Amino acid sequence: KLFHFGPCRISMSMNEIRAGFAAIKDNIQGRDPIRTVSILSHPHSLHKIKSSEKCCIIHHLFNFYVDKVFKYCTTEDSYVNRKISSIANSFLSIKRNLAPCHNQNMCKCGQESTEKFKQILTNYRGLNVTSAAMKSLGELDILLDWMEKSR
Amino acid sequence: GELYCSLPNPRNVHFESINMKNVLHWSAPDGTGDGVLYKVKYSVYGVGKWIRKSECRNISRTWCDLSSETADYEEQYYASVKAFLHGMCSDWTETARFSPLTETKIDPPMVSISSTEKSISIILTAPEKWKGSPEEESISLAQVYPGLQYNVSILNKKTKKRWWFSVSNTTLVVPWLEPGTVYCVSAQIHVTTPLLHSAFSKEYCIATLKDK
């Protein structure tokens, strides 16, 4: 499937990622007891970001998930771990697909997306690494829902 | 203040959602007969403030409609139930995180058909998102799910031959049919991601006009 993020277009196997996440959603979200904090959607929803700045935030978010989330999400359940690494591999290839467009300086980062991503990092750093990574992974559907609206 | 909570917990606390009408359901605590009362609270994930649902306070039924409270499908939610019996209470028992967008069930589309001598026209209408009152603006689920498609099946009742179509728009004209023949149409909604699909609608049958 083709997704448009501002000037950048990426093809993505969204169904595969969705299916992988659906298989472990309750397991991962069940490991996150903190209801009062969301990494991605509060205080400001991803859905409020202007479409022209989506490219910048998606670029940051893929780096965020690859560098700060997947590698800290190991569980005692090998089935869950396999699903996590399959999703991580999908994210790695999407990140690679996005790089050319981003490197051609077509991904403008305005104030809104910069502020939003700063907020995401603040939310992330407000927790210890493992909790923050597991919570971020548990919010993958929030990211996927937002990306879907960008088709 | 709360009493000593030694009552078993309500069981199987979960949301049942159809066209984003989101109703909380649960089962009575193990080993309790009649007389159990319940209260319900809910929270928006990431906001964390638990909010009591006043219309579901001291109720004996085992469901509570939280559609209004969970109407924003860009958010995710938790709900929780507590049971009371003979001065005792249970602990609060929570749902898993509920995401209306990916967890609602979708009803089949409405199908209306008309015919000419050699063709059938089919108009497909997706169900509307639940709304709190008739005055509220109607939102079609086709607006909620940009990737919404219709799978349409057409059966020639005489030859028993069946065709399948997958369309995104709401009108389908099927040409090159036999005059004076009965055709039956059934349709299903299919959303590619998130992966959702409705049941098939009932069959709607119509005869093509006879040759003049």
Side-chain angles (χ1 to χ4, degrees), chain B:
Chain B
E2 296 284 316
L3 309 168
Y4 175 62
C5 290
S6 63
L7 197 63
N9 292 341
R11 293 167 297 149
N12 189 23
V13 183
H14 66 285
F15 277 96
E16 290 181 14
S17 174
I18 298 175
N19 302 336
M20 296 200 182
K21 176 181 173 65
N22 307 322
V23 181
L24 184 68
H25 287 262
W26 62 89
S27 309
D30 238 354
T32 54
D34 296 336
V36 184
L37 297 180
Y38 304 95
K39 55 184 176 180
V40 171
K41 63 182 181 181
Y42 65 94
S43 76
V44 178
Y45 170 65
V47 175
K49 198 164 51 117
W50 285 103
I51 301 165
R52 299 293 172 99
K53 170 73 171 172
S54 50
E55 295 87 341
C56 295
R57 193 165 170 278
N58 294 335
I59 56 172
S60 55
R61 63 176 189 269
T62 57
W63 59 268
C64 173
D65 191 336
L66 291 173
S67 300
S68 296
E69 292 76 13
T70 56
D72 181 351
Y73 54 82
E74 286 177 355
E75 296 285 1
Q76 301 185 338
Y77 305 90
Y78 286 91
S80 193
V81 183
K82 193 183 188 73
F84 295 86
L85 180 63
H86 306 324
M88 289 189 300
C89 57
S90 75
D91 292 327
W92 286 101
T93 309
E94 275 179 18
T95 63
R97 194 179 305 171
F98 171 62
S99 167
L101 189 69
T102 53
E103 294 178 48
T104 199
K105 301 277 184 297
I106 298 179
D107 277 338
M110 282 193 299
V111 179
S112 65
I113 51 180
S114 58
S115 67
T116 64
E117 270 176 52
K118 292 193 172 180
S119 72
I120 287 178
S121 296
I122 303 163
I123 296 176
L124 303 156
T125 309
E128 284 178 8
K129 176 180 183 289
W130 172 88
K131 57 184 182 178
S133 66
E135 296 76 39
E136 271 183 44
E137 181 209 355
S138 295
I139 299 173
S140 165
L141 289 181
Q143 295 167 257
V144 175
Y145 299 102
L148 186 142
Q149 295 176 325
Y150 303 92
N151 293 335
V152 183
S153 141
I154 298 169
L155 174 71
N156 178 324
K157 285 291 258 189
K158 189 161 55 174
T159 63
K160 302 299 184 216
K161 183 180 177 204
R162 188 184 295 271
W163 297 270
W164 295 92
F165 296 87
S166 190
V167 294
S168 300
N169 44 23
T170 58
T171 308
L172 172 62
V173 178
V174 184
W176 319 117
L177 300 179
E178 291 174 44
T181 304
V182 174
Y183 292 89
C184 292
V185 176
S186 176
Q188 168 199 45
I189 281 176
H190 177 68
V191 178
T192 45
T193 51
L195 199 56
L196 297 169
H197 49 73
S198 73
F200 267 91
S201 68
K202 72 182 187 77
E203 269 195 342
Y204 296 82
C205 298
I206 193 168
T208 49
L209 305 181
K210 289 192 165 46
D211 250 340
K212 290 196 183 73

Side-chain angles (χ1 to χ4, degrees), chain A residues 1 3 14-15 18 25-26 29 32 34-39 41-42 45 47-48 135 138-139 141-142 145 148-149 151, chain B residues 43-50 73-76 78 94-99 101-103 144 146-147 192-195:
Chain A
K1 242 170 224 77
F3 288 77
M14 188 57 99
N15 280 353
R18 280 252 188 220
K25 170 181 183 295
D26 285 349
Q29 292 180 349
D32 171 18
I34 305 168
R35 307 282 191 267
T36 54
V37 169
S38 164
I39 304 288
S41 56
H42 285 275
S45 164
H47 296 276
K48 303 288 185 286
K135 177 177 270 296
E139 294 185 8
D141 48 359
I142 294 174
D145 293 347
E148 296 270 55
K149 282 182 78 173
R151 284 183 57 210
Chain B
S43 76
V44 178
Y45 170 65
V47 175
K49 198 164 51 117
W50 285 103
Y73 54 82
E74 286 177 355
E75 296 285 1
Q76 301 185 338
Y78 286 91
E94 275 179 18
T95 63
R97 194 179 305 171
F98 171 62
S99 167
L101 189 69
T102 53
E103 294 178 48
V144 175
T192 45
T193 51
L195 199 56

Side-chain angles (χ1 to χ4, degrees), chain A residues 103-151:
Chain A
N103 296 341
Q104 290 154 29
N105 219 347
M106 294 166 67
C107 260
K108 290 282 179 291
C109 282
Q111 196 213 336
E112 193 180 312
S113 45
T114 305
E115 275 308 311
K116 177 59 189 173
F117 189 63
K118 226 184 266 176
Q119 179 65 61
I120 288 171
L121 290 181
T122 303
N123 293 341
Y124 179 89
R125 293 187 182 120
L127 306 171
N128 71 68
V129 172
T130 310
S131 305
M134 200 56 83
K135 177 177 270 296
S136 302
L137 180 57
E139 294 185 8
L140 204 65
D141 48 359
I142 294 174
L143 174 62
L144 301 178
D145 293 347
W146 171 70
M147 286 164 68
E148 296 270 55
K149 282 182 78 173
S150 305
R151 284 183 57 210

Side-chain angles (χ1 to χ4, degrees), chain A residues 53-78:
Chain A
E53 297 198 26
K54 282 191 171 181
C55 178
C56 164
I57 198 84
I58 202 78
H59 169 72
H60 282 306
L61 282 172
F62 272 91
N63 288 339
F64 170 74
Y65 270 86
V66 168
D67 302 334
K68 291 183 182 304
V69 176
F70 296 126
K71 57 178 74 169
Y72 300 110
C73 286
T74 309
T75 74
E76 73 296 339
D77 184 324
S78 58

